[in-house]
C-alpha cells in the first residue's frame, strides 16, 4: 500500500529539504487521526537540513509497521478476516518491494516495487465479496469491473496528458513505470467500486474508505515518480502514503459483522445500477474536456474511450438480460403461488402489524361464503366472535418472531348465512422476514356437523402445549419422512431423558430447558418433546456427531431457578442411527433402549444403541422367527376380558386378547410379539384365526346377548379380505353379526376409500366398528363425523392423574359427551383403582374395562366367572371391589 512512496524519501535522505503546510479538515475521530498523521508526515519538511528527510522517512515506515499491527489485530474481529489478511500481506509486500526497488532501480522507476502489493489488493477485495452473489451475477460484475478499470485508466491518462505530458517532465522509462503502478492500482480501485456497488448499505462506508485509500495511494505513487529530488513533492508522497495507510486502518475498524436484519441495503440496487454509469460519464467527460485544452486526442485515450463505450454496451446488455430473467422468474413464482393457493382447500390469510387483512386466498369463499376483495383491509378482530376477539388479538400480537415456529389458534367466525363456524388457524409469524413482513394464517373449519356439547372442544395436535415443540406424533412423522429421503443413512436420533422435573407441566421450567437445548443444537438439528420427561433430537449426521450433541444436551441440563427455589435436574441420553432399512418405530425403540441403558449407568451418561443392547434385539429376532410356527404348534391362545355395563350391572361384551406361551421365554407380551407379526402377512393369518376362534367360543356360551370384540390389524383391513373373513367366521360359528365388534386403530380410518367402503359394508351386515385406543394416534374430531364408527374405546392414558388433576377429569368428561353427541358408545379401558371407577361413574360413563372389575379369562372360565353373568356381581360402590392383580401381561 506504500505504492512507491517510500522510494523517494529513501533517495532523498542525502539532500536538503523544503516543505509546505497542509490544511486539516474536521472529520470524525478515526478519520481525523489519519489526516493528522498524514499532515505530520508532510510537516516534516519544515525541519532544517537532513533532519526533515530522516523524520519523514521514519514516520512513513512507522506508519507501515503500525498499519500492519492494527490490520492484523483488528482484522480478526472484522466481518471479512480473510480479506484483511490479504490486505496486510499487500502492505507488507508493497513496503518490501519499495525498499528493494529503491536500492536497485534509478530515480523515477522505484514505484515498480509496489506493483506486487497492489495486485494482492485485488485478491483481498475479492475475499470480501460474497461468492454466492458473484457466481449468481458474474457477467454483470465482470462488465461493471471493466467499466470501473477503464474509467480509472482514462482519468489517469487524461490528467497525465493535461499536466506532465505537456511539459515533458518524465522520460519514457519513468512514464512506463508510473503507468505500470497506476494500472495495478486501478485494478484494486475498480474492485473497491464493485464492492461499493454490490455490498449492503451497512457495509458501504467500508467500500468508500477503501476507494479513498486507493486514490491516496495512486496520488502517492504519482508524486513519487515525479520527484526529481528532495522537496515538497517527496514529502507530499510520504504524506499521501501515510493517509492511504490510515484510511485502510479506518476501513478495517469500520468493517464490523452486521446482524442479519441489517444486511439489506434499502438503496443498494439503485447505487449498483448508477455507479458504473457515473464513473463512465466522469472518465468520458474528462477525456472530451481535454481536447479543447490540449488540441489533440491521443491514440491511447481514443482506444480507452472506445473500450469504455464497448464495456458500457456490454454492461447494458448483461443488465437487460438479468432484468428479463428476474422478471420471468418473478412472474413464474407468482403464477406458482396463485395456482397453489387457488388449489388449496384451506384458505390462507396474510395480516399486517395492525392485524388487518392484506391478502386472502379465494378458498375463503367456500369456507365462509365471503368475497375475498371485501375482506382485504378489514381487521381480523372485527371478523371473529366478540368473546374470542380479545384472546385472539393478544395471541397474535404476542406470537414469537421465530419463522420456523407454528402455533394453533381457534376462534368463531360468522358465515355469510349467519351461522358461527369454528375456525382453526396455524399461525406463522413472518414479520421478521424482510420478504414477507406479516403474519400468515392457514385456516380450516373444525366445526362438527352434529350438534356440539357445551363443554370445551377437545383437539389433538402435533405440538406440545407446554413448550410449543413438536410432540411424539410429529416426531414419528418426521422420522418417517427422513427415512423416505435419499439421505436417510446420514441421520441419527437422540432420546434425552430429564429426571427431577416436577409433577405436571411446569411451563417455565420446560421452556427454560427448551431454550438451553436450542443453544446446544446446530442449525439442521430438529428438537421435539417425545414424552413427559423426554426430549428427542433428529440429527443430520453420523452417530458420532449425535453423541457429541447428546453430550452438550446432557451438560445443558443444569439446576433451574424457580419461584420455590432451585430445581435440581439430571439427564441421560440414548443415541441410535436412523437406518434407511428401518422404520420410525424401530428408530424410536432403539433410542428408548439406548436411553434405558444410559439411565441405568447413572446421570449425565450417553449410551449408543449398539452391542450393549444386542441381547434385546436377538430376542426380537428369535420371537420373529418362532412366531411363524407358533399358531401351528398350538402356542397361541385367546383370553377374554369383560366389558361391564355399570348401569345394568353385568358384562355386555368381552374383548378377545391374543396370548403366546413361548417354549423358551414363557409368556410373551402381545406388545412385544404383535408388532413383529404386523411386519409381515402373518398378522392377517393370525387375524383370521382370532376371528374364527373368538366367534366360535362366544357362540357356544349360554349367554345369548353377549358380544365379542376382536382387534383387527391395519394390514388385515387394507388387504381387502376382511369382509370375506368376517363372513366366513360368522357362518362357521353361527354367531349373530350384531354380537361382533371389530376394533381398529384411528389411522385406518384415514386410509384408502376402499377401507371405508369395507367397514360400511360390515356395518350394514350388523357388525359394529370400534376405534381402539382413541386419542393416542392421529385423532381428529372432524374425521369422526360420517365415518362408519359405533364405539370409541378411550385409552388408558386419559386416566393418568385423573384422581388429582381437574383438567384430566374435564378431558374424560369431554370425550364422553363427544361420543354421546355423535351417537357413539364410549368404553373406558384400563380402569385399575376404585377411585377411578367412582369418578367415571360420577361422570356418567357406563361401559368400563379393566383389571379392577375383571382380569382376562380363559375360555373355560367364561361360563362361571363373567361379572353379573354367573360370576361375582358388579358392585354399586367402590367398597368391596377386588384388588387388581398383576400377572405380567399388559392391561
Amino acid at each position: 500500500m506504500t505504492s512507491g512512496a517510500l522510494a523517494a524519501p529513501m533517495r532523498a535522505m542525502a539532500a536538503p529539504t523544503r516543505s509546505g503546510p497542509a490544511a486539516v479538515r474536521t472529520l470524525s475521530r478515526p478519520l481525523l487521526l489519519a489526516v493528522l498523521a498524514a499532515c505530520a508526515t508532510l510537516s516534516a519538511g519544515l525541519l532544517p537540513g537532513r533532519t526533515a528527510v530522516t523524520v519523514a522517512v521514519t514516520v512513513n515506515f512507522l506508519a507501515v509497521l503500525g498499519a500492519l499491527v492494527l490490520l492484523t489485530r483488528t482484522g480478526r474481529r472484522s466481518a471479512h478476516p480473510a480479506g484483511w489478511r490479504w490486505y496486510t500481506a499487500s502492505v507488507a509486500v508493497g513496503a518490501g518491494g519499495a525498499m528493494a526497488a529503491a536500492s536497485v532501480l534509478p530515480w523515477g522507476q522505484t514505484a515498480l516495487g509496489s506493483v506486487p502489493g497492489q495486485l494482492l489488493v485485488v485478491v483481498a477485495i475479492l475475499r470480501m465479496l460474497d461468492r454466492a452473489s458473484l457466481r449468481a451475477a458474474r457477467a454483470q460484475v465482470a462488465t461493471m469491473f471493466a467499466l470501473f478499470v477503464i474509467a480509472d485508466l482514462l482519468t489517469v491518462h487524461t490528467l497525465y496528458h493535461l499536466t506532465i505530458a505537456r511539459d515533458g517532465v518524465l522520460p519514457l522509462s519513468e512514464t512506463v513505470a508510473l503507468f505500470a503502478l497506476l494500472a495495478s492500482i486501478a485494478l484494486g480501485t475498480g474492485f473497491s467500486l464493485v464492492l461499493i456497488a454490490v455490498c449492503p448499505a451497512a457495509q458501504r462506508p467500508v467500500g468508500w474508505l477503501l476507494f479513498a485509500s486507493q486514490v491516496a495511494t495512486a496520488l502517492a505513487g504519482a508524486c513519487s515518480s515525479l520527484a526529481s529530488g528532495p522537496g515538497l513533492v517527496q514529502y507530499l508522497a510520504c504524506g499521501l502514503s501515510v493517509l492511504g495507510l490510515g484510511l485502510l486502518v479506518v476501513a478495517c475498524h469500520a468493517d464490523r459483522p452486521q446482524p442479519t436484519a441489517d444486511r439489506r441495503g434499502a438503496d443498494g440496487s439503485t447505487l449498483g445500477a448508477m455507479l458504473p454509469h457515473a464513473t463512465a460519464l466522469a472518465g468520458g467527460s474528462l477525456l472530451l474536456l481535454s481536447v479543447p485544452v490540449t488540441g489533440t486526442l491521443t491514440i491511447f485515450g481514443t482506444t480507452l474511450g472506445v473500450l469504455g463505450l464497448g464495456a458500457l454496451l456490454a454492461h447494458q446488455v448483461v443488465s437487460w438480460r438479468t432484468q428479463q430473467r428476474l422478471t420471468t422468474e418473478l412472474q413464474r413464482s407468482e403464477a406458482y403461488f396463485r395456482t397453489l393457493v387457488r388449489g388449496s382447500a384451506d384458505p390462507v390469510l396474510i395480516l399486517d402489524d395492525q392485524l388487518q387483512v392484506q391478502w386472502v386466498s379465494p378458498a375463503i369463499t367456500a369456507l365462509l361464503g365471503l368475497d375475498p376483495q371485501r375482506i382485504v383491509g378489514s381487521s381480523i378482530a372485527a371478523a371473529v366472535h366478540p368473546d374470542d376477539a380479545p384472546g385472539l388479538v393478544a395471541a397474535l400480537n404476542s406470537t414469537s418472531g421465530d419463522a420456523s415456529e407454528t402455533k394453533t389458534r381457534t376462534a368463531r367466525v360468522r358465515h355469510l348465512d349467519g351461522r358461527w363456524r369454528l375456525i382453526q388457524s396455524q399461525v406463522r409469524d413472518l414479520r421478521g422476514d424482510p420478504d414477507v413482513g406479516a403474519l400468515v394464517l392457514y385456516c380450516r373449519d373444525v366445526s362438527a356437523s352434529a350438534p356440539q356439547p357445551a363443554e370445551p372442544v377437545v383437539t389433538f395436535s402435533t405440538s406440545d402445549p407446554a413448550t410449543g415443540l413438536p410432540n411424539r406424533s410429529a416426531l414419528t412423522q418426521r422420522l418417517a419422512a427422513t427415512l423416505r429421503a435419499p439421505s436417510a443413512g446420514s441421520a441419527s436420533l437422540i432420546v434425552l431423558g430429564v429426571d427431577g422435573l416436577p409433577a405436571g407441566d411446569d411451563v417455565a421450567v420446560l421452556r427454560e430447558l427448551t431454550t438451553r437445548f436450542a443453544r446446544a443444537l446446530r442449525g439442521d438439528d430438529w428438537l421435539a418433546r417425545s414424552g413427559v420427561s423426554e426430549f428427542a433430537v433428529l440429527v443430520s449426521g453420523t452417530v458420532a456427531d449425535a453423541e457429541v450433541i447428546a453430550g452438550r444436551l446432557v451438560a445443558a441440563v443444569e439446576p433451574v431457578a424457580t419461584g420455590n427455589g432451585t430445581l435440581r435436574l439430571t439427564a441421560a441420553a440414548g443415541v441410535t442411527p436412523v437406518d434407511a432399512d428401518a422404520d420410525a418405530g424401530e428408530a424410536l425403540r432403539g433410542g428408548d433402549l439406548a436411553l434405558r441403558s444410559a439411565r441405568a449407568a447413572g446421570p449425565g451418561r450417553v449410551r449408543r444403541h449398539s452391542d450393549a443392547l444386542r441381547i434385546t434385539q436377538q430376542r426380537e429376532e428369535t420371537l420373529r422367527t418362532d412366531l411363524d410356527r407358533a399358531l401351528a404348534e398350538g402356542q397361541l391362545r385367546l383370553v377374554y376380558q369383560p366389558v361391564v355395563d355399570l348401569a345394568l350391572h353385568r358384562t355386555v361384551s368381552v374383548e378377545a386378547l391374543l396370548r403366546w406361551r413361548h417354549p423358551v421365554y414363557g409368556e410373551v407380551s402381545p406388545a412385544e410379539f404383535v408388532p413383529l407379526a404386523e411386519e409381515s402377512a402373518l398378522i392377517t393369518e393370525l387375524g383370521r384365526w382370532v376371528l374364527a376362534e373368538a366367534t366360535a367360543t362366544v357362540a357356544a356360551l349360554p349367554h345369548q346377548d353377549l358380544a365379542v370384540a376382536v382387534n383387527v390389524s391395519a394390514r388385515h383391513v387394507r388387504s381387502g379380505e376382511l369382509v370375506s373373513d368376517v363372513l366366513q367366521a360368522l357362518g362357521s360359528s353361527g354367531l349373530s353379526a350384531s354380537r361382533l365388534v371389530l376394533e381398529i386403530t384411528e389411522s385406518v380410518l384415514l386410509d384408502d376409500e376402499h377401507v371405508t367402503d369395507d367397514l360400511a359394508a360390515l356395518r350394514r351386515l350388523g357388525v359394529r366398528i370400534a376405534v381402539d385406543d382413541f386419542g393416542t394416534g392421529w385423532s381428529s374430531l372432524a374425521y369422526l363425523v360420517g365415518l362408519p364408527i359405533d364405539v370409541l374405546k378411550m385409552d388408558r392414558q386419559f386416566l393418568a392423574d385423573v384422581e388429582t388433576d381437574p383438567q384430566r377429569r374435564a378431558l374424560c368428561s369431554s370425550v364422553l359427551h363427544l361420543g354421546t353427541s355423535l351417537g357413539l358408545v364410549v368404553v373406558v379401558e384400563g380402569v385399575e383403582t376404585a377411585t377411578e371407577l367412582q369418578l367415571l361413574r360420577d361422570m356418567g360413563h357406563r361401559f368400563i374395562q379393566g383389571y379392577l372389575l375383571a382380569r382376562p379369562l380363559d375360555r373355560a372360565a367364561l361360563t362361571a366367572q363373567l361379572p353379573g353373568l354367573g360370576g361375582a356381581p358388579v358392585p354399586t360402590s367402590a367398597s368391596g371391589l377386588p384388588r387388581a392383580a398383576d400377572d405380567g401381561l399388559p392391561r
Side-chain angles (χ1 to χ4, degrees):
M1 287 299 300
T2 55
S3 53
L6 291 177
M10 290 279 296
R11 299 291 296 270
M13 291 181 66
T17 61
R18 293 178 301 173
S19 150
V24 179
R25 295 184 300 168
T26 303
L27 301 172
S28 61
R29 183 174 179 180
L31 288 176
L32 181 60
L33 290 176
V35 173
L36 289 176
C39 292
T41 305
L42 185 61
S43 300
L46 298 175
L47 298 175
R50 300 169 60 90
T51 305
V53 179
T54 304
V55 171
V57 172
T58 302
V59 172
N60 205 167
F61 275 104
L62 288 176
V64 172
L65 295 177
L68 290 174
V69 173
L70 291 175
L71 288 176
T72 301
R73 295 181 58 184
T74 310
R76 296 171 185 172
R77 303 187 299 271
S78 68
H80 307 90
W84 291 110
R85 284 196 297 269
W86 280 99
Y87 252 121
T88 305
S90 74
V91 172
V93 171
M99 289 187 293
S103 60
V104 298
L105 293 178
W107 191 279
Q109 300 181 25
T110 56
L112 290 174
S114 298
V115 171
Q118 287 302 318
L119 296 179
L120 292 180
V121 172
V122 175
V123 182
I125 298 181
L126 280 175
R127 296 304 299 268
M128 294 183 179
L129 293 170
D130 182 64
R131 296 187 178 182
S133 300
L134 286 178
R135 285 193 297 268
R138 53 183 177 271
Q140 195 169 8
V141 171
T143 56
M144 186 188 303
F145 171 70
L147 268 175
F148 290 151
V149 173
I150 292 173
D152 289 343
L153 292 176
L154 194 58
T155 301
V156 170
H157 167 74
T158 304
L159 293 176
Y160 172 80
H161 188 58
L162 288 172
T163 57
I164 303 173
R166 298 180 63 186
D167 299 332
V169 175
L170 296 179
L172 179 61
S173 59
E174 296 180 4
T175 301
V176 172
L178 173 62
F179 270 91
L181 173 64
L182 295 180
S184 64
I185 296 176
L187 295 177
T189 305
F191 272 111
S192 66
L193 290 173
V194 171
L195 179 64
I196 295 170
V198 301
C199 73
Q203 295 287 338
R204 202 167 297 144
V206 177
W208 285 116
L209 287 169
L210 292 178
F211 174 72
S213 176
Q214 289 293 112
V215 173
T217 301
L219 294 175
C223 291
S224 177
S225 299
L226 291 175
S228 58
L232 178 61
V233 178
Q234 290 77 23
Y235 299 126
L236 185 60
C238 292
L240 289 170
S241 176
V242 172
L243 178 62
L245 291 168
L247 292 174
L248 188 60
V249 172
V250 174
C252 183
H253 181 75
D255 187 27
R256 299 293 90 189
Q258 298 293 326
T260 303
D262 297 337
R263 294 181 182 176
R264 296 190 316 128
D267 58 340
S269 59
T270 303
L271 182 63
M274 296 300 298
L275 195 57
H277 300 82
T279 54
L281 176 64
S285 299
L286 194 60
L287 176 64
L288 294 177
L289 291 175
S290 68
V291 175
V293 176
T294 60
T296 59
L297 184 61
T298 64
I299 295 177
F300 186 66
T302 304
T303 303
L304 286 176
V306 173
L307 290 177
L309 291 175
L312 183 61
L313 177 62
H315 181 71
Q316 285 295 102
V317 172
V318 170
S319 299
W320 177 81
R321 293 181 60 184
T322 302
Q323 185 67 28
Q324 289 294 107
R325 178 178 55 82
L326 293 176
T327 301
T328 302
E329 291 178 356
L330 179 60
Q331 292 173 345
R332 185 183 298 113
S333 176
E334 290 180 349
Y336 289 162
F337 175 73
R338 286 194 298 269
T339 302
L340 177 63
V341 298
R342 289 181 184 276
S344 175
D346 295 336
V348 179
L349 276 77
I350 298 179
L351 308 180
D352 59 14
D353 287 337
Q354 283 70 43
L355 303 185
Q356 291 185 341
V357 179
Q358 290 184 321
W359 185 88
V360 61
S361 66
I364 196 69
T365 304
L367 182 68
L368 298 173
L370 302 175
D371 183 3
Q373 298 301 324
R374 297 182 58 185
I375 302 176
V376 175
S378 60
S379 173
I380 193 70
V384 302
H385 193 281
D387 294 340
D388 299 338
L392 179 64
V393 171
L396 293 178
N397 284 327
S398 64
T399 302
S400 171
D402 185 1
S404 62
E405 182 179 1
T406 301
K407 294 187 177 180
T408 303
R409 298 289 179 262
T410 307
R412 289 165 290 179
V413 182
R414 188 185 296 276
H415 193 276
L416 187 62
D417 60 10
R419 295 177 299 158
W420 290 100
R421 311 296 295 173
L422 189 63
I423 305 300
Q424 185 183 83
S425 300
Q426 300 291 328
V427 184
R428 292 190 66 189
D429 189 354
L430 300 179
R431 287 176 290 191
D433 189 333
D435 296 325
V436 182
L439 287 166
V440 182
L441 279 63
Y442 305 88
C443 305
R444 64 179 303 181
D445 187 359
V446 295
S447 305
S449 59
Q452 293 298 304
E455 283 71 21
V457 177
V458 182
T459 59
F460 300 88
S461 69
T462 56
S463 296
D464 177 60
T467 62
L469 294 174
N471 60 14
R472 192 174 182 90
S473 296
L475 175 62
T476 304
Q477 298 178 48
R478 184 65 175 254
L479 279 171
T482 302
L483 290 166
R484 291 194 300 268
S487 60
S490 62
S492 303
L493 178 66
I494 300 173
V495 181
L496 181 72
V498 181
D499 296 320
L501 289 172
D505 284 348
D506 190 321
V507 176
V509 174
L510 291 173
R511 290 189 176 178
E512 171 64 21
L513 287 177
T514 302
T515 301
R516 294 180 183 181
F517 295 156
R519 293 172 182 167
L521 298 179
R522 306 170 303 176
D524 295 336
D525 300 332
W526 193 79
L527 176 65
R529 189 184 182 196
S530 56
V532 175
S533 61
E534 292 183 5
F535 294 82
V537 179
L538 191 58
V539 176
S540 298
T542 63
V543 177
D545 297 331
E547 286 179 325
V548 174
I549 297 171
R552 296 206 299 260
L553 292 172
V554 169
V557 181
E558 300 174 345
V560 177
T562 65
N564 299 325
T566 301
L567 189 63
R568 304 290 178 181
L569 301 176
T570 60
V575 179
T576 182
V578 179
D579 297 325
D581 56 349
D583 59 21
E586 290 182 55
L588 290 172
R589 286 194 297 272
D592 291 338
L593 286 174
L595 175 60
R596 194 179 310 158
S597 174
R599 276 177 160 162
R605 300 302 180 94
V606 176
R607 288 290 184 267
R608 179 189 296 190
H609 177 66
S610 57
D611 294 338
L613 305 175
R614 191 166 293 173
I615 295 177
T616 302
Q617 296 175 344
Q618 289 176 348
R619 172 184 169 94
E620 287 187 2
E621 293 300 327
T622 302
L623 293 177
R624 185 180 288 106
T625 302
D626 295 347
L627 188 58
D628 291 336
R629 58 177 182 270
L631 182 60
E633 296 179 0
Q635 300 174 12
L636 298 175
R637 74 184 194 282
L638 291 180
V639 294
Y640 302 87
Q641 185 169 28
V643 176
V644 177
D645 186 342
L646 297 180
L648 300 179
H649 306 291
R650 65 183 179 86
T651 302
V652 293
S653 68
V654 292
E655 180 181 0
L657 303 173
L658 189 60
R659 296 290 186 261
W660 182 16
R661 185 179 297 278
H662 192 274
V664 176
Y665 298 123
E667 289 289 345
V668 181
S669 168
E672 189 174 5
F673 73 81
V674 169
L676 300 179
E678 289 178 340
E679 296 175 359
S680 65
L682 177 62
I683 191 64
T684 303
E685 182 180 350
L686 291 177
R688 293 193 188 97
W689 180 80
V690 171
L691 272 171
E693 181 73 11
T695 53
T697 297
V698 175
L701 295 175
H703 313 299
Q704 297 301 316
D705 57 350
L706 182 67
V708 60
V710 177
N711 289 281
V712 181
S713 70
R715 184 186 287 268
H716 196 177
V717 177
R718 300 186 185 108
S719 67
E721 302 174 358
L722 179 61
V723 175
S724 60
D725 291 341
V726 170
L727 291 175
Q728 176 67 28
L730 294 176
S732 300
S733 64
L735 185 74
S736 171
S738 61
R739 296 173 63 188
L740 177 61
V741 180
L742 298 181
E743 296 189 4
I744 61 176
T745 59
E746 299 175 44
S747 59
V748 174
L749 298 173
L750 309 181
D751 280 337
D752 296 336
E753 186 177 350
H754 84 85
V755 171
T756 306
D757 293 341
D758 288 350
L759 296 178
L762 290 171
R763 288 188 75 210
R764 287 193 294 271
L765 294 173
V767 177
R768 288 175 290 170
I769 308 299
V771 177
D772 196 15
D773 298 332
F774 174 72
T776 63
W778 306 79
S779 299
S780 176
L781 302 184
Y783 286 121
L784 295 181
V785 180
L787 289 174
I789 304 171
D790 301 284
V791 181
L792 295 180
K793 300 200 71 175
M794 193 171 75
D795 189 76
R796 163 71 188 169
Q797 292 185 14
F798 282 86
L799 300 181
D801 300 325
V802 71
E803 301 173 11
T804 58
D805 190 346
Q807 292 184 343
R808 289 283 183 179
R809 292 196 293 271
L811 186 60
C812 291
S813 179
S814 297
V815 174
L816 172 64
H817 285 284
L818 172 66
T820 304
S821 64
L822 297 177
L824 304 177
V825 174
V826 179
V827 178
V828 183
E829 298 180 293
V831 179
E832 299 185 359
T833 68
T835 305
E836 290 175 351
L837 178 63
Q838 189 62 47
L839 288 172
L840 294 173
R841 186 192 298 273
D842 293 341
M843 294 177 193
H845 281 282
R846 287 182 58 186
F847 302 100
I848 305 297
Q849 180 179 353
Y851 268 37
L852 180 66
L853 295 178
R855 297 166 57 190
L857 304 173
D858 289 331
R859 177 176 181 174
L862 289 177
T863 304
Q865 298 184 22
L866 288 175
L869 294 178
V874 177
T876 58
S877 65
S879 61
L881 285 169
R883 183 181 300 274
D886 187 2
D887 59 2
L889 296 177
R891 306 173 185 179

